[in-house]
Amino acid sequence: MTGEEKKKFGNVMIIGLGMIGGSFAKALKERGLATLYGVDRREGELALGVSTGVIDYPAQLNADYLSKMDVIVLATPVRAMESVVADLKPFLSEKTLVTDVGSTKGSVVEAVRRVYGFMPSNFIPGHPIAGAEKSGVLASNSSLFEKHMAIVTPLPDSNPVLLDKLHRLWRAVGSDVVSMDVEHHDHVLASSSHLPHLLAYTLVDALANGERSQDIFKFAAGGFRDFTRIASSDPVMWRDVFMANKDATLATLDHFTDRLADMRHAIEQGDGASMFGVFTRAKSARDHFLRLLEQRTLGSIKEVRPVSIAVLPASVIKGQISLLGDKSLSHKVITIAALSEGVSDLRNIDLAGDVKITIQAFRDMGVVIEEAANDHLRVHGVGLRGLKAPIAPINVHQSRETLYLLLPVLAGQSFPVSVTAEGELLNQSMKDVFSVVRQMGGKVESAVEDCLPVYLEPGDALNLSVTLQAGSERLRMAALLASLYSPEKSQVVPFLSGLSHCEVLLRQFKMSIESSEAGLTILPSPLTATNVVLTGDEYEMAWLVLLANILPGSELIIENVGLDSVSVALLMFMASIGADVSLPQQSASGLYEGSVSAGFAELHAFTLSAEQSYQFRDELPLLCVAAAYATGQSCIKGINALPYYYEDRVLGLIDALEHMGLSVTYEKGDLFVQGGLPQGGELDSAGDDKVALAMIALGARSHALTKVHDCQKLLEEFNELEGVARQLGFHCTVTQ
């Protein structure tokens, strides 16, 4: 590459060799992108600029120099802009790009217009979001703008060719470039940059002139240092900034003063909940900022270490155990509590995995959620319509549970909001839950039909009358939550009859739900806070019952069980094929609550109808394992009629059964499994936690050691697995 080709931006003049101007010059010079000329009223800074290699040549604002310039960058204090522009005017070519680096844009535009009478098309304001407390050309840093934002604020008449050149100029020094309206820029910067500097200067000045100033500075620690660091910035520059951006700064300052008065009142009244709410929302907002900053500086690549679980044969499980709360119910009860009026005390909550995504979403919308212990939350409900608009789109990551709970709730609020996700959830149709949202009156907009990301806008609330076309508990809960926002009574007809945990939980919070053969009728009423102790996770319960039945010598009691209609039907089915399992008594809520006991039994072959396969679709991986250990040939029908992710799980188990030496036939959606003794080996769960648990059970009585790979998700969702196994004497170990 020749010198001319390298210096693709030609001759660049920097007017003002302070830290920003010097860093920009140095960044271009070190990358060989331009020939650098410097102008500064301070002769010493100009000489240092040449001697330290920041610029190539000193220059002056006259025809000889200005006529040769391709780019001119104004890096002077904002109050000096008008004078500098006036000096440039007689000699400036309209082909020369002129830009600036000031932190206010409206005042710069006004200054140029006062000089010219209009805004020249070649003058395009800009502002790099980078800096430091140091000043002067010796503070120049050629890496200053890397992975930082540079804001370009074009005017309607800006020259498009020069505007493109300005974008390329900032990208060339490593900046992420965005465009923004001049007025919007000044209000954004007044909040994000100017106000923090004003507070830091004022706080240090107030403390320095107080009675205890010596001790305050003597004993101040890192927090004081970090908060007041920016008070070491150039006072002249910041005086000029506040005078130039007066209106936007005052508007931001007034808003902050009002919030500060609210905080003073909360402290005065001892209102801990209000204080905690502010602190929680502030932490959430700052964490969001740090995530954005980390993405800009480090990228979003995250190393995932493979996790495997080795299962030793000849285990026995014995003892009594209480399981941590059901994961799905944890999502649901947190949501209901957030929408209730008052403070709810929630115990035995599973806070692992994607439950934290649901918690964070509500915290982002102003709900105070205190973590009193590892499984204990205190939720300060805000009422059905009391959520506040989040500062950014809500990201449910890969949590389908969070998504289905949030969408109808968000559609019932007074503000529009965007919802996004990550991974596979972005490519999957959400037609079922979007349909519920539309029926309640919400407006749904998505770039790809019925897929995330989505923009939700509240509409006129409608009375909901929905007949569900699938047996999903998530969808059932979404419909019930949507019905809370109906002006009058609403009707939900579930796909499957029978009692669900959804209705039981909502009734605990005083929701009026009437059950009949026609479905569920819901009357509008506020939710009332209450205290809840969740029953144990139902899939983990079913897994332990299966383990006890296939491991000779096992004696198991699970104490905190709460069974809905599907779980009762599952255990009754297992009992019908010879399983040793007892059910608790039915309580006033309709659930079967109490203890479940299980022990070893010889299972016999079974046939599962297509209707039963759909009813037990969540537990099908476990029933595949039961078929493997049963005597005779079992048949599970209608697998190809299941939603694809349930079918995929069964197909994964078919591969595992064959790999373990069992006779398996899959024909036209029906699975035939000849019972026998698995041989052991290495299995891949493909990152599915339910499949991983089933594979662990498959290896529990195999001929040789079984190793299940890709179990990271399992340990996130069932983080007490090792503790449960150790307590009951089950031999499995985690390896990386």
Side-chain angles (χ1 to χ4, degrees):
M1 182 177 287
T2 67
E4 287 302 313
E5 288 174 325
K6 286 181 65 179
K7 296 188 177 182
K8 61 182 179 181
F9 293 108
N11 295 325
V12 176
M13 175 182 283
I14 309 294
I15 303 176
L17 288 181
M19 190 269 296
I20 295 291
S23 295
F24 190 62
K26 194 172 185 179
L28 289 172
K29 190 172 186 299
E30 286 190 1
R31 290 167 172 80
L33 295 170
T35 300
L36 276 303
Y37 294 79
V39 176
D40 199 294
R41 59 180 175 78
R42 301 163 296 180
E43 293 295 332
E45 293 295 289
L46 200 57
L48 281 172
V50 175
S51 64
T52 57
V54 171
I55 58 172
D56 294 303
Y57 307 106
Q60 296 178 3
L61 300 182
N62 58 36
D64 289 342
Y65 284 104
L66 294 175
S67 63
K68 297 188 297 184
M69 292 303 123
D70 297 290
V71 180
I72 296 175
V73 180
L74 307 183
T76 64
V78 290
R79 294 186 74 198
M81 290 286 184
E82 185 171 350
S83 173
V84 174
V85 172
D87 291 339
L88 293 175
K89 181 182 177 183
F91 315 110
L92 201 58
S93 165
E94 63 182 16
K95 295 181 180 179
T96 301
L97 169 63
V98 184
T99 187
D100 76 307
V101 295
S103 63
T104 66
K105 299 274 73 87
S107 63
V108 173
V109 172
E110 289 175 8
V112 175
R113 283 177 173 156
R114 282 194 295 269
V115 173
Y116 279 88
F118 62 94
M119 193 68 181
S121 64
N122 61 325
F123 194 111
I124 307 174
H127 177 207
I129 309 299
E133 308 84 67
K134 299 176 182 179
S135 59
V137 72
L138 291 179
S140 299
N141 176 5
S142 61
S143 301
L144 182 67
F145 308 107
E146 292 180 4
K147 302 296 184 182
H148 283 73
M149 305 290 285
I151 302 174
V152 174
T153 57
L155 282 298
D157 296 329
S158 294
N159 183 315
V161 175
L162 295 181
L163 176 58
D164 180 71
K165 185 175 186 176
L166 183 57
H167 275 261
R168 288 187 287 109
L169 189 66
W170 280 115
R171 284 200 297 267
V173 296
S175 293
D176 299 323
V177 189
V178 296
S179 288
M180 192 177 289
D181 173 74
V182 167
E183 183 179 0
H184 185 58
H185 167 278
D186 285 357
H187 279 277
V188 168
L189 268 293
S191 299
S192 63
S193 176
H194 303 171
L195 181 62
H197 279 82
L198 186 65
L199 297 179
Y201 280 123
T202 305
L203 175 64
V204 174
D205 181 60
L207 296 180
N209 291 283
E211 295 179 1
R212 302 177 178 87
S213 61
Q214 292 302 314
D215 279 348
I216 288 172
F217 290 118
K218 180 179 179 181
F219 293 104
F224 181 83
R225 177 200 63 210
D226 294 340
F227 179 73
T228 60
R229 172 185 59 82
I230 52 179
S232 296
S233 301
D234 183 358
V236 174
M237 181 189 77
W238 282 103
R239 176 204 63 191
D240 293 349
V241 165
F242 289 122
M243 295 183 70
N245 201 27
K246 179 175 70 172
D247 292 342
T249 300
L250 286 176
T252 302
L253 184 60
D254 288 343
H255 176 66
F256 173 75
T257 303
D258 291 341
R259 299 304 298 270
L260 192 62
D262 293 340
M263 179 57 74
R264 187 189 188 286
H265 180 75
I267 295 172
E268 184 178 52
Q269 298 299 314
D271 186 353
S274 293
M275 285 185 273
F276 192 81
V278 172
F279 301 155
T280 300
R281 292 192 298 274
K283 182 182 185 304
S284 173
R286 188 171 189 276
D287 288 347
H288 172 71
F289 160 71
L290 291 177
R291 287 193 295 270
L292 292 177
L293 188 63
E294 183 178 3
Q295 288 171 9
R296 288 206 302 266
T297 56
L298 300 177
S300 57
I301 298 174
K302 182 180 178 182
E303 180 185 2
V304 178
R305 299 181 66 188
V307 176
S308 301
I309 294 178
V311 186
L312 296 174
S315 290
V316 174
I317 60 172
K318 286 186 176 182
Q320 294 183 221
I321 194 166
S322 291
L323 292 173
L324 195 56
D326 186 279
K327 180 65 63 65
S328 177
L329 296 185
S330 296
H331 283 278
K332 292 179 175 69
V333 75
I334 290 166
T335 300
I336 300 169
L339 301 175
S340 300
E341 297 179 0
V343 181
S344 297
D345 201 67
L346 311 179
R347 296 177 184 269
N348 201 37
I349 299 290
D350 188 342
L351 297 180
D354 59 5
V355 173
K356 287 192 175 293
I357 296 172
T358 296
I359 293 173
Q360 189 61 51
F362 282 109
R363 282 176 170 166
D364 288 348
M365 293 186 286
V367 180
V368 176
I369 302 178
E370 302 176 67
E371 294 188 28
N374 290 335
D375 62 350
H376 179 192
L377 293 178
R378 194 169 292 112
V379 181
H380 298 254
V382 296
L384 290 176
R385 294 175 174 82
L387 299 177
K388 296 180 179 179
I391 64 170
I394 292 177
N395 189 343
V396 299
H397 299 273
Q398 299 185 51
S399 176
R400 184 180 292 267
E401 195 81 46
T402 302
L403 177 67
Y404 274 60
L405 292 170
L406 282 182
L407 286 179
V409 171
L410 293 172
Q413 304 307 308
S414 60
F415 51 82
V417 64
S418 295
V419 181
T420 188
E422 296 173 2
E424 293 181 358
L425 211 55
L426 285 172
N427 303 316
Q428 295 174 3
S429 173
M430 301 298 160
K431 183 177 181 179
D432 54 358
V433 69
F434 283 1
S435 174
V436 170
V437 170
R438 291 185 178 107
Q439 289 181 66
M440 62 185 291
K443 299 176 182 178
V444 180
E445 297 178 14
S446 56
V448 179
E449 186 176 4
D450 291 332
C451 289
L452 295 177
V454 66
Y455 178 76
L456 290 182
E457 189 173 350
D460 295 330
L462 303 175
N463 290 319
L464 189 71
S465 179
V466 57
T467 299
L468 301 179
Q469 301 300 315
S472 163
E473 284 293 286
R474 299 188 191 102
L475 187 60
R476 186 170 180 150
M477 190 64 177
L480 290 172
L481 289 173
S483 69
L484 289 167
Y485 296 95
S486 294
E488 301 172 5
K489 71 177 181 180
S490 52
Q491 190 84 13
V492 176
V493 181
F495 185 76
L496 296 175
S497 60
L499 182 69
S500 164
H501 280 286
C502 301
E503 296 96 82
V504 174
L505 276 179
L506 285 163
R507 284 174 177 143
Q508 283 184 267
F509 287 83
K510 309 304 181 187
M511 183 175 179
S512 176
I513 306 178
E514 298 176 1
S515 301
S516 67
E517 291 185 2
L520 303 172
T521 301
I522 298 94
L523 299 176
S525 61
L527 299 175
T528 303
T530 189
N531 299 332
V532 176
V533 180
L534 279 192
T535 53
D537 188 286
E538 291 186 286
Y539 193 87
E540 294 166 14
M541 178 274 301
W543 177 69
L544 287 173
V545 167
L546 175 63
L547 278 181
N549 273 271
I550 62 178
L551 295 175
S554 295
E555 294 179 347
L556 173 70
I557 297 176
I558 307 172
E559 295 176 330
N560 60 330
V561 171
L563 305 177
D564 63 8
S565 298
V566 173
S567 296
V568 169
L570 175 70
L571 293 190
M572 290 178 67
F573 174 78
M574 291 188 67
S576 73
I577 64 172
D580 177 6
V581 58
S582 68
L583 273 67
Q585 296 295 312
Q586 190 173 23
S587 69
S589 70
L591 298 176
Y592 288 74
E593 296 181 294
S595 298
V596 164
S597 60
F600 174 74
E602 287 189 282
L603 305 179
H604 51 257
F606 58 87
T607 296
L608 206 64
S609 68
E611 292 76 14
Q612 288 174 309
S613 292
Y614 187 86
Q615 183 183 24
F616 302 144
R617 60 196 178 282
D618 274 315
E619 295 80 13
L620 278 184
L622 300 179
L623 291 175
C624 288
V625 177
Y629 282 101
T631 302
Q633 186 182 74
S634 297
C635 177
I636 300 176
K637 297 184 175 182
I639 293 169
N640 60 344
L642 297 172
Y644 73 92
Y645 38 89
Y646 295 112
E647 182 184 8
D648 283 351
R649 283 175 175 167
V650 176
L651 294 178
L653 260 296
I654 291 174
D655 289 343
L657 292 169
E658 291 177 335
H659 187 74
M660 299 278 267
L662 295 168
S663 176
V664 180
T665 304
Y666 185 56
E667 295 179 345
K668 299 179 181 179
D670 295 342
L671 171 64
F672 299 89
V673 180
Q674 182 66 44
L677 197 59
Q679 299 302 305
E682 299 199 12
L683 307 175
D684 190 341
S685 70
D688 189 299
D689 55 305
K690 288 182 168 57
V691 169
L693 268 186
M695 288 178 172
I696 290 171
L698 185 60
R701 212 176 88 203
S702 59
H703 266 302
L705 182 141
T706 300
K707 199 168 188 179
V708 182
H709 298 300
D710 203 357
C711 292
Q712 178 64 32
K713 179 71 179 300
L714 171 60
L715 295 180
E716 290 174 0
E717 296 296 319
F718 188 7
N719 63 348
E720 72 275 20
L721 172 64
E722 290 181 281
V724 168
R726 188 165 48 249
Q727 182 178 342
L728 297 177
F730 181 58
H731 300 148
C732 69
T733 56
V734 176
T735 61
Q736 284 188 326

